[in-house]
Amino acid sequence: MSTTPRPDSAALTPRNVSALLQDTTPWLSCDECFERMDSYAEALVHDPTYRDEAMAAHLRGCAACDEEAESLMRLLDGR
Amino acid sequence: MTAVSRDEQRSNTSVSSPPSDAPGPMDWVEALTGGGPEQSAALRELHTLMLRAAAHQVWRMRPALPDPSPSAVDVIVNQAADEAMTALLAKLHTFEGRSRFTTWAFKFAILQAATEVRRLQWQHREVELRDLDVPSAPRHEDPELYAEGNDLAAAVAAAMRGVLTPYQRRIAIALLVDGIPIDVLADRLGTNRGALYKTLHDLRVRLRAELTANGYLPVHPANPPDPAPSDARSRISPTPTAGTP
Ligand SMILES: [Zn+2]
């Protein structure tokens, strides 16, 4: 006798669900993110209203690049 | 004026002044490739910058280190600065001056240091690629949050089962549920951050399409700055993924 596996929805917290359903469009790769990170960080430190939608989408969806971009901005900002 | 001080004048941001052994009045790329004592001075100055950015990053992530003592931090900082400098010099020809050179240099040290801290953090931990049915280790989440998100969570689990491949499910769970850092997972799987992020992006697109078709997500989604608390179905916030260092 076998049992059909059931979706383990209880294992997904709202935080997990948010992360899984994060809208990461427009597409930007980690390499492109790294290429643009310096000018993006400078622009954002200089003007907090600066927008780069592809960078913002990538950073919402990629925890590692997000940490590094945040760190770079803090370093530039002297924080 | 030194390479650094000339670089500083291109921007209003507050990076500190150059060290006293700065090279002569030439730009960084010239100084670093020109040879002679000026190149040596520029290399020393660059190394100082790398140490500074690596130290900034390692101290930021210090609580994640198995040994957070200042001497252990110092070792990691020096190693990361050296490796970042090698990586930077290999890419020197790609510097286009869209930012200050110092900012461009910092990002190499930050990447190297962050990757090294994550590696050390997971050095003695097993990385498991599990599917949705395999329970994870117990977590410490607020049980009320579980209940609130349950309807959407069930829909997401069903969509993961329905539209994702087993590989996509395992990568999604490892990165976004179990919080394994992307570099660590990439290293263990013999791939790289970019390839895993592409997998993540593709599976998110599939999941969003399925959840949109099922009425759980709006047809023309914006990225709201905050989750809408009144409706569990729209609790999709731009929070960083799990695995944040
Ligand atoms: Zn990334």
Side-chain angles (χ1 to χ4, degrees), chain B residues 178-235:
Chain B
D178 293 342
I180 301 166
I182 196 165
D183 313 311
V184 172
L185 186 62
D187 189 46
R188 305 283 174 102
L189 296 179
T191 180
N192 57 55
R193 184 192 291 197
L196 283 187
Y197 181 75
K198 178 70 168 70
T199 301
L200 204 52
H201 173 81
D202 291 346
L203 72 88
R204 278 167 160 155
V205 169
R206 281 195 190 186
L207 282 180
R208 289 185 61 83
E210 180 70 3
L211 273 283
T212 303
N214 294 343
Y216 283 90
L217 292 177
V219 177
H220 298 294
N223 273 302
D226 297 302
S230 59
D231 178 0
R233 287 190 174 197
S234 59
R235 291 171 61 87

Tab-separated table of all heavy atoms in Angstrom, chain B residues 178-235:
chain	number	residue	atom	x	y	z
B	178	ASP	N	15.149	26.630	2.963
B	178	ASP	CA	16.172	26.188	3.917
B	178	ASP	C	17.279	27.225	4.127
B	178	ASP	O	18.124	27.062	5.006
B	178	ASP	CB	16.765	24.847	3.467
B	178	ASP	CG	15.736	23.723	3.551
B	178	ASP	OD1	14.715	23.902	4.250
B	178	ASP	OD2	15.933	22.670	2.915
B	179	GLY	N	17.280	28.267	3.295
B	179	GLY	CA	18.201	29.381	3.522
B	179	GLY	C	19.667	29.067	3.264
B	179	GLY	O	20.554	29.673	3.858
B	180	ILE	N	19.933	28.144	2.376
B	180	ILE	CA	21.332	27.877	2.016
B	180	ILE	C	21.808	29.011	1.110
B	180	ILE	O	21.165	29.305	0.099
B	180	ILE	CB	21.460	26.518	1.287
B	180	ILE	CG1	20.944	25.387	2.191
B	180	ILE	CG2	22.900	26.258	0.861
B	180	ILE	CD1	20.719	24.073	1.470
B	181	PRO	N	22.890	29.675	1.450
B	181	PRO	CA	23.369	30.777	0.599
B	181	PRO	C	23.675	30.298	-0.822
B	181	PRO	O	24.180	29.189	-1.017
B	181	PRO	CB	24.635	31.256	1.303
B	181	PRO	CG	24.502	30.800	2.712
B	181	PRO	CD	23.732	29.506	2.651
B	182	ILE	N	23.389	31.141	-1.776
B	182	ILE	CA	23.482	30.755	-3.188
B	182	ILE	C	24.906	30.353	-3.581
B	182	ILE	O	25.100	29.405	-4.342
B	182	ILE	CB	22.900	31.884	-4.081
B	182	ILE	CG1	22.619	31.372	-5.502
B	182	ILE	CG2	23.784	33.110	-4.101
B	182	ILE	CD1	21.720	32.313	-6.317
B	183	ASP	N	25.916	31.029	-3.031
B	183	ASP	CA	27.307	30.678	-3.376
B	183	ASP	C	27.664	29.302	-2.827
B	183	ASP	O	28.403	28.543	-3.460
B	183	ASP	CB	28.343	31.618	-2.728
B	183	ASP	CG	28.011	33.057	-2.880
B	183	ASP	OD1	27.710	33.478	-3.991
B	183	ASP	OD2	28.060	33.771	-1.852
B	184	VAL	N	27.162	29.034	-1.611
B	184	VAL	CA	27.463	27.757	-0.965
B	184	VAL	C	26.831	26.620	-1.757
B	184	VAL	O	27.492	25.621	-2.072
B	184	VAL	CB	26.947	27.764	0.501
B	184	VAL	CG1	27.084	26.383	1.132
B	184	VAL	CG2	27.697	28.806	1.325
B	185	LEU	N	25.576	26.813	-2.116
B	185	LEU	CA	24.891	25.775	-2.890
B	185	LEU	C	25.573	25.587	-4.247
B	185	LEU	O	25.791	24.459	-4.703
B	185	LEU	CB	23.411	26.132	-3.079
B	185	LEU	CG	22.573	25.060	-3.751
B	185	LEU	CD1	22.553	23.774	-2.928
B	185	LEU	CD2	21.148	25.540	-3.996
B	186	ALA	N	25.936	26.700	-4.882
B	186	ALA	CA	26.610	26.631	-6.181
B	186	ALA	C	27.910	25.847	-6.061
B	186	ALA	O	28.209	24.973	-6.886
B	186	ALA	CB	26.871	28.039	-6.705
B	187	ASP	N	28.659	26.134	-5.024
B	187	ASP	CA	29.935	25.461	-4.807
B	187	ASP	C	29.732	23.953	-4.632
B	187	ASP	O	30.438	23.144	-5.244
B	187	ASP	CB	30.601	26.070	-3.560
B	187	ASP	CG	32.019	25.583	-3.397
B	187	ASP	OD1	32.753	25.574	-4.395
B	187	ASP	OD2	32.398	25.184	-2.277
B	188	ARG	N	28.732	23.586	-3.816
B	188	ARG	CA	28.498	22.150	-3.560
B	188	ARG	C	27.982	21.431	-4.808
B	188	ARG	O	28.220	20.242	-4.985
B	188	ARG	CB	27.481	21.949	-2.429
B	188	ARG	CG	27.831	22.643	-1.128
B	188	ARG	CD	28.900	21.932	-0.318
B	188	ARG	NE	29.270	22.747	0.835
B	188	ARG	CZ	28.852	22.528	2.081
B	188	ARG	NH1	28.075	21.491	2.338
B	188	ARG	NH2	29.229	23.329	3.053
B	189	LEU	N	27.275	22.172	-5.673
B	189	LEU	CA	26.724	21.538	-6.877
B	189	LEU	C	27.656	21.670	-8.078
B	189	LEU	O	27.334	21.224	-9.177
B	189	LEU	CB	25.358	22.157	-7.222
B	189	LEU	CG	24.222	21.957	-6.203
B	189	LEU	CD1	22.949	22.644	-6.664
B	189	LEU	CD2	23.967	20.471	-5.977
B	190	GLY	N	28.787	22.324	-7.877
B	190	GLY	CA	29.739	22.499	-8.967
B	190	GLY	C	29.234	23.448	-10.047
B	190	GLY	O	29.574	23.298	-11.231
B	191	THR	N	28.438	24.433	-9.628
B	191	THR	CA	27.945	25.409	-10.600
B	191	THR	C	28.301	26.810	-10.084
B	191	THR	O	29.271	26.953	-9.336
B	191	THR	CB	26.422	25.206	-10.836
B	191	THR	OG1	25.967	26.156	-11.778
B	191	THR	CG2	25.609	25.315	-9.565
B	192	ASN	N	27.593	27.822	-10.526
B	192	ASN	CA	27.920	29.166	-10.050
B	192	ASN	C	26.652	29.935	-9.686
B	192	ASN	O	25.545	29.504	-9.977
B	192	ASN	CB	28.752	29.926	-11.084
B	192	ASN	CG	28.048	30.007	-12.421
B	192	ASN	OD1	26.906	30.472	-12.522
B	192	ASN	ND2	28.690	29.523	-13.463
B	193	ARG	N	26.843	31.067	-9.040
B	193	ARG	CA	25.731	31.880	-8.565
B	193	ARG	C	24.773	32.239	-9.691
B	193	ARG	O	23.561	32.150	-9.551
B	193	ARG	CB	26.271	33.164	-7.917
B	193	ARG	CG	25.197	34.027	-7.299
B	193	ARG	CD	25.687	35.427	-6.912
B	193	ARG	NE	26.614	35.434	-5.797
B	193	ARG	CZ	26.910	36.513	-5.084
B	193	ARG	NH1	26.336	37.676	-5.368
B	193	ARG	NH2	27.770	36.460	-4.104
B	194	GLY	N	25.353	32.620	-10.827
B	194	GLY	CA	24.535	33.066	-11.954
B	194	GLY	C	23.609	31.975	-12.472
B	194	GLY	O	22.434	32.230	-12.767
B	195	ALA	N	24.138	30.753	-12.560
B	195	ALA	CA	23.323	29.646	-13.076
B	195	ALA	C	22.183	29.327	-12.111
B	195	ALA	O	21.046	29.082	-12.525
B	195	ALA	CB	24.192	28.422	-13.299
B	196	LEU	N	22.484	29.341	-10.811
B	196	LEU	CA	21.424	29.048	-9.837
B	196	LEU	C	20.381	30.157	-9.809
B	196	LEU	O	19.192	29.905	-9.675
B	196	LEU	CB	22.016	28.862	-8.432
B	196	LEU	CG	22.699	27.538	-8.153
B	196	LEU	CD1	23.075	27.441	-6.681
B	196	LEU	CD2	21.817	26.354	-8.542
B	197	TYR	N	20.836	31.402	-9.944
B	197	TYR	CA	19.867	32.499	-9.957
B	197	TYR	C	18.958	32.411	-11.190
B	197	TYR	O	17.765	32.710	-11.105
B	197	TYR	CB	20.560	33.868	-9.902
B	197	TYR	CG	19.532	34.975	-9.889
B	197	TYR	CD1	18.800	35.259	-8.742
B	197	TYR	CD2	19.234	35.680	-11.055
B	197	TYR	CE1	17.802	36.219	-8.739
B	197	TYR	CE2	18.242	36.647	-11.057
B	197	TYR	CZ	17.534	36.913	-9.893
B	197	TYR	OH	16.546	37.859	-9.890
B	198	LYS	N	19.501	31.960	-12.308
B	198	LYS	CA	18.684	31.789	-13.521
B	198	LYS	C	17.602	30.733	-13.267
B	198	LYS	O	16.431	30.924	-13.634
B	198	LYS	CB	19.586	31.375	-14.694
B	198	LYS	CG	18.854	31.116	-16.012
B	198	LYS	CD	18.312	32.417	-16.602
B	198	LYS	CE	17.828	32.278	-18.038
B	198	LYS	NZ	16.608	31.487	-18.170
B	199	THR	N	17.999	29.633	-12.629
B	199	THR	CA	17.021	28.594	-12.261
B	199	THR	C	15.934	29.190	-11.367
B	199	THR	O	14.733	28.959	-11.571
B	199	THR	CB	17.728	27.431	-11.515
B	199	THR	OG1	18.730	26.896	-12.371
B	199	THR	CG2	16.753	26.339	-11.128
B	200	LEU	N	16.367	29.984	-10.405
B	200	LEU	CA	15.430	30.611	-9.468
B	200	LEU	C	14.475	31.556	-10.193
B	200	LEU	O	13.257	31.547	-9.959
B	200	LEU	CB	16.266	31.383	-8.432
B	200	LEU	CG	15.673	31.671	-7.069
B	200	LEU	CD1	15.140	30.422	-6.409
B	200	LEU	CD2	16.746	32.326	-6.186
B	201	HIS	N	15.024	32.354	-11.079
B	201	HIS	CA	14.197	33.293	-11.840
B	201	HIS	C	13.150	32.540	-12.670
B	201	HIS	O	11.966	32.882	-12.654
B	201	HIS	CB	15.088	34.146	-12.740
B	201	HIS	CG	14.336	35.034	-13.682
B	201	HIS	ND1	13.796	36.247	-13.294
B	201	HIS	CD2	14.003	34.873	-14.992
B	201	HIS	CE1	13.170	36.794	-14.322
B	201	HIS	NE2	13.283	35.983	-15.371
B	202	ASP	N	13.609	31.505	-13.373
B	202	ASP	CA	12.689	30.744	-14.235
B	202	ASP	C	11.576	30.084	-13.431
B	202	ASP	O	10.419	30.081	-13.845
B	202	ASP	CB	13.461	29.686	-15.030
B	202	ASP	CG	14.382	30.305	-16.076
B	202	ASP	OD1	14.227	31.514	-16.360
B	202	ASP	OD2	15.258	29.596	-16.604
B	203	LEU	N	11.918	29.514	-12.303
B	203	LEU	CA	10.877	28.826	-11.518
B	203	LEU	C	9.915	29.835	-10.901
B	203	LEU	O	8.722	29.563	-10.755
B	203	LEU	CB	11.502	27.883	-10.482
B	203	LEU	CG	12.215	28.442	-9.254
B	203	LEU	CD1	11.264	28.684	-8.100
B	203	LEU	CD2	13.305	27.469	-8.805
B	204	ARG	N	10.421	31.015	-10.548
B	204	ARG	CA	9.520	32.051	-10.020
B	204	ARG	C	8.537	32.501	-11.097
B	204	ARG	O	7.364	32.742	-10.808
B	204	ARG	CB	10.332	33.251	-9.522
B	204	ARG	CG	10.899	33.058	-8.129
B	204	ARG	CD	11.934	34.111	-7.843
B	204	ARG	NE	12.189	34.304	-6.431
B	204	ARG	CZ	13.324	34.790	-5.936
B	204	ARG	NH1	14.303	35.122	-6.760
B	204	ARG	NH2	13.477	34.966	-4.654
B	205	VAL	N	9.035	32.631	-12.330
B	205	VAL	CA	8.148	33.025	-13.432
B	205	VAL	C	7.040	31.983	-13.590
B	205	VAL	O	5.858	32.324	-13.717
B	205	VAL	CB	8.958	33.208	-14.733
B	205	VAL	CG1	8.033	33.345	-15.941
B	205	VAL	CG2	9.871	34.439	-14.634
B	206	ARG	N	7.428	30.696	-13.542
B	206	ARG	CA	6.433	29.622	-13.678
B	206	ARG	C	5.427	29.646	-12.527
B	206	ARG	O	4.226	29.489	-12.744
B	206	ARG	CB	7.121	28.257	-13.672
B	206	ARG	CG	7.754	27.898	-14.975
B	206	ARG	CD	8.073	26.417	-14.989
B	206	ARG	NE	8.891	26.095	-16.144
B	206	ARG	CZ	9.227	24.864	-16.484
B	206	ARG	NH1	8.821	23.844	-15.750
B	206	ARG	NH2	9.967	24.638	-17.534
B	207	LEU	N	5.935	29.803	-11.319
B	207	LEU	CA	5.038	29.807	-10.153
B	207	LEU	C	4.077	30.987	-10.210
B	207	LEU	O	2.882	30.846	-9.938
B	207	LEU	CB	5.853	29.899	-8.853
B	207	LEU	CG	6.527	28.626	-8.348
B	207	LEU	CD1	7.276	28.914	-7.052
B	207	LEU	CD2	5.514	27.503	-8.138
B	208	ARG	N	4.605	32.149	-10.573
B	208	ARG	CA	3.754	33.353	-10.631
B	208	ARG	C	2.677	33.194	-11.699
B	208	ARG	O	1.528	33.599	-11.499
B	208	ARG	CB	4.611	34.595	-10.896
B	208	ARG	CG	5.480	34.997	-9.712
B	208	ARG	CD	6.214	36.306	-9.975
B	208	ARG	NE	5.275	37.400	-10.187
B	208	ARG	CZ	4.704	38.077	-9.213
B	208	ARG	NH1	4.994	37.814	-7.950
B	208	ARG	NH2	3.859	39.038	-9.486
B	209	ALA	N	3.044	32.615	-12.840
B	209	ALA	CA	2.057	32.414	-13.903
B	209	ALA	C	0.947	31.482	-13.421
B	209	ALA	O	-0.239	31.721	-13.642
B	209	ALA	CB	2.736	31.845	-15.145
B	210	GLU	N	1.333	30.428	-12.723
B	210	GLU	CA	0.352	29.455	-12.231
B	210	GLU	C	-0.555	30.097	-11.168
B	210	GLU	O	-1.772	29.935	-11.193
B	210	GLU	CB	1.105	28.247	-11.652
B	210	GLU	CG	0.229	27.146	-11.099
B	210	GLU	CD	-0.542	26.370	-12.166
B	210	GLU	OE1	-0.353	26.668	-13.364
B	210	GLU	OE2	-1.318	25.478	-11.788
B	211	LEU	N	0.049	30.820	-10.247
B	211	LEU	CA	-0.726	31.455	-9.175
B	211	LEU	C	-1.618	32.571	-9.720
B	211	LEU	O	-2.704	32.815	-9.206
B	211	LEU	CB	0.210	32.011	-8.101
B	211	LEU	CG	0.661	31.083	-6.950
B	211	LEU	CD1	-0.454	30.913	-5.936
B	211	LEU	CD2	1.129	29.720	-7.401
B	212	THR	N	-1.152	33.225	-10.792
B	212	THR	CA	-1.979	34.248	-11.443
B	212	THR	C	-3.172	33.577	-12.118
B	212	THR	O	-4.318	34.029	-11.980
B	212	THR	CB	-1.147	35.036	-12.477
B	212	THR	OG1	-0.028	35.616	-11.816
B	212	THR	CG2	-1.974	36.151	-13.124
B	213	ALA	N	-2.896	32.465	-12.816
B	213	ALA	CA	-3.981	31.740	-13.500
B	213	ALA	C	-5.015	31.240	-12.493
B	213	ALA	O	-6.208	31.178	-12.790
B	213	ALA	CB	-3.391	30.575	-14.289
B	214	ASN	N	-4.557	30.918	-11.288
B	214	ASN	CA	-5.471	30.409	-10.267
B	214	ASN	C	-6.112	31.506	-9.423
B	214	ASN	O	-6.820	31.216	-8.463
B	214	ASN	CB	-4.727	29.442	-9.330
B	214	ASN	CG	-4.288	28.186	-10.063
B	214	ASN	OD1	-4.786	27.889	-11.151
B	214	ASN	ND2	-3.339	27.473	-9.491
B	215	GLY	N	-5.816	32.749	-9.755
B	215	GLY	CA	-6.460	33.862	-9.062
B	215	GLY	C	-5.807	34.261	-7.751
B	215	GLY	O	-6.359	35.057	-6.995
B	216	TYR	N	-4.632	33.744	-7.474
B	216	TYR	CA	-3.955	34.107	-6.219
B	216	TYR	C	-3.098	35.363	-6.361
B	216	TYR	O	-2.729	35.982	-5.373
B	216	TYR	CB	-3.085	32.953	-5.724
B	216	TYR	CG	-3.891	31.858	-5.071
B	216	TYR	CD1	-4.396	30.804	-5.826
B	216	TYR	CD2	-4.165	31.889	-3.710
B	216	TYR	CE1	-5.136	29.802	-5.234
B	216	TYR	CE2	-4.912	30.901	-3.114
B	216	TYR	CZ	-5.395	29.849	-3.877
B	216	TYR	OH	-6.139	28.871	-3.283
B	217	LEU	N	-2.751	35.694	-7.598
B	217	LEU	CA	-1.964	36.902	-7.832
B	217	LEU	C	-2.707	37.761	-8.850
B	217	LEU	O	-3.376	37.226	-9.741
B	217	LEU	CB	-0.575	36.546	-8.400
B	217	LEU	CG	0.403	35.825	-7.480
B	217	LEU	CD1	1.684	35.489	-8.246
B	217	LEU	CD2	0.744	36.684	-6.276
B	218	PRO	N	-2.584	39.081	-8.742
B	218	PRO	CA	-3.236	39.949	-9.719
B	218	PRO	C	-2.641	39.744	-11.114
B	218	PRO	O	-1.473	39.351	-11.251
B	218	PRO	CB	-2.956	41.361	-9.204
B	218	PRO	CG	-1.809	41.218	-8.283
B	218	PRO	CD	-1.855	39.836	-7.721
B	219	VAL	N	-3.442	40.021	-12.147
B	219	VAL	CA	-2.995	39.782	-13.523
B	219	VAL	C	-1.850	40.716	-13.902
B	219	VAL	O	-0.897	40.324	-14.548
B	219	VAL	CB	-4.171	39.924	-14.509
B	219	VAL	CG1	-3.677	39.757	-15.952
B	219	VAL	CG2	-5.228	38.875	-14.200
B	220	HIS	N	-1.921	41.972	-13.482
B	220	HIS	CA	-0.848	42.931	-13.781
B	220	HIS	C	-0.196	43.341	-12.468
B	220	HIS	O	-0.524	44.374	-11.900
B	220	HIS	CB	-1.393	44.165	-14.512
B	220	HIS	CG	-1.995	43.813	-15.828
B	220	HIS	ND1	-1.263	43.319	-16.873
B	220	HIS	CD2	-3.279	43.861	-16.254
B	220	HIS	CE1	-2.056	43.090	-17.902
B	220	HIS	NE2	-3.285	43.402	-17.556
B	221	PRO	N	0.701	42.531	-11.996
B	221	PRO	CA	1.240	42.795	-10.668
B	221	PRO	C	2.207	43.966	-10.656
B	221	PRO	O	2.983	44.150	-11.598
B	221	PRO	CB	1.972	41.498	-10.337
B	221	PRO	CG	2.368	40.953	-11.666
B	221	PRO	CD	1.330	41.407	-12.656
B	222	ALA	N	2.100	44.723	-9.609
B	222	ALA	CA	3.155	45.690	-9.335
B	222	ALA	C	3.958	45.068	-8.216
B	222	ALA	O	3.599	44.011	-7.709
B	222	ALA	CB	2.553	47.000	-8.888
B	223	ASN	N	5.058	45.659	-7.852
B	223	ASN	CA	5.764	45.202	-6.668
B	223	ASN	C	5.440	46.156	-5.535
B	223	ASN	O	6.069	47.193	-5.394
B	223	ASN	CB	7.277	45.175	-6.912
B	223	ASN	CG	7.691	43.865	-7.523
B	223	ASN	OD1	7.466	42.803	-6.947
B	223	ASN	ND2	8.257	43.945	-8.716
B	224	PRO	N	4.426	45.814	-4.738
B	224	PRO	CA	4.034	46.744	-3.697
B	224	PRO	C	5.135	46.891	-2.660
B	224	PRO	O	5.843	45.915	-2.377
B	224	PRO	CB	2.797	46.079	-3.077
B	224	PRO	CG	2.954	44.646	-3.382
B	224	PRO	CD	3.718	44.549	-4.668
B	225	PRO	N	5.319	48.090	-2.117
B	225	PRO	CA	6.378	48.280	-1.147
B	225	PRO	C	6.124	47.533	0.160
B	225	PRO	O	7.031	47.169	0.867
B	225	PRO	CB	6.383	49.791	-0.899
B	225	PRO	CG	5.036	50.268	-1.344
B	225	PRO	CD	4.579	49.310	-2.405
B	226	ASP	N	4.844	47.252	0.471
B	226	ASP	CA	4.502	46.551	1.703
B	226	ASP	C	3.454	45.508	1.393
B	226	ASP	O	2.641	45.686	0.498
B	226	ASP	CB	3.920	47.518	2.737
B	226	ASP	CG	4.939	48.551	3.128
B	226	ASP	OD1	6.005	48.155	3.602
B	226	ASP	OD2	4.663	49.752	2.933
B	227	PRO	N	3.440	44.420	2.170
B	227	PRO	CA	2.364	43.453	1.979
B	227	PRO	C	1.027	44.057	2.379
B	227	PRO	O	0.967	44.911	3.261
B	227	PRO	CB	2.758	42.307	2.924
B	227	PRO	CG	3.724	42.868	3.893
B	227	PRO	CD	4.392	44.039	3.221
B	228	ALA	N	-0.036	43.630	1.699
B	228	ALA	CA	-1.371	44.108	2.059
B	228	ALA	C	-1.905	43.207	3.168
B	228	ALA	O	-2.165	42.030	2.942
B	228	ALA	CB	-2.281	44.042	0.848
B	229	PRO	N	-2.045	43.714	4.402
B	229	PRO	CA	-2.360	42.853	5.523
B	229	PRO	C	-3.792	42.322	5.518
B	229	PRO	O	-4.094	41.341	6.164
B	229	PRO	CB	-2.143	43.762	6.742
B	229	PRO	CG	-2.208	45.153	6.224
B	229	PRO	CD	-1.853	45.105	4.771
B	230	SER	N	-4.677	42.957	4.748
B	230	SER	CA	-6.078	42.553	4.825
B	230	SER	C	-6.379	41.292	4.024
B	230	SER	O	-7.412	40.676	4.190
B	230	SER	CB	-6.960	43.694	4.320
B	230	SER	OG	-6.587	43.993	2.991
B	231	ASP	N	-5.498	40.902	3.144
B	231	ASP	CA	-5.810	39.784	2.272
B	231	ASP	C	-4.602	38.858	2.190
B	231	ASP	O	-3.569	39.205	1.630
B	231	ASP	CB	-6.165	40.345	0.875
B	231	ASP	CG	-6.458	39.214	-0.117
B	231	ASP	OD1	-6.392	38.034	0.278
B	231	ASP	OD2	-6.752	39.530	-1.276
B	232	ALA	N	-4.755	37.666	2.740
B	232	ALA	CA	-3.630	36.730	2.774
B	232	ALA	C	-3.128	36.389	1.384
B	232	ALA	O	-1.967	36.081	1.180
B	232	ALA	CB	-4.037	35.450	3.497
B	233	ARG	N	-4.003	36.485	0.378
B	233	ARG	CA	-3.599	36.131	-0.981
B	233	ARG	C	-2.651	37.157	-1.582
B	233	ARG	O	-2.028	36.904	-2.584
B	233	ARG	CB	-4.830	36.015	-1.872
B	233	ARG	CG	-5.637	34.767	-1.578
B	233	ARG	CD	-6.683	34.582	-2.622
B	233	ARG	NE	-7.352	33.303	-2.420
B	233	ARG	CZ	-8.082	32.719	-3.361
B	233	ARG	NH1	-8.235	33.289	-4.529
B	233	ARG	NH2	-8.663	31.571	-3.142
B	234	SER	N	-2.598	38.331	-1.032
B	234	SER	CA	-1.719	39.338	-1.636
B	234	SER	C	-0.514	39.634	-0.747
B	234	SER	O	0.109	40.669	-0.874
B	234	SER	CB	-2.508	40.628	-1.898
B	234	SER	OG	-3.032	41.123	-0.694
B	235	ARG	N	-0.202	38.680	0.130
B	235	ARG	CA	0.918	38.922	1.042
B	235	ARG	C	2.261	38.657	0.369
B	235	ARG	O	3.086	37.896	0.846
B	235	ARG	CB	0.780	38.062	2.295
B	235	ARG	CG	-0.374	38.478	3.169
B	235	ARG	CD	-0.568	37.454	4.257
B	235	ARG	NE	0.627	37.349	5.095
B	235	ARG	CZ	0.864	38.109	6.140
B	235	ARG	NH1	0.024	39.052	6.488
B	235	ARG	NH2	1.947	37.934	6.849
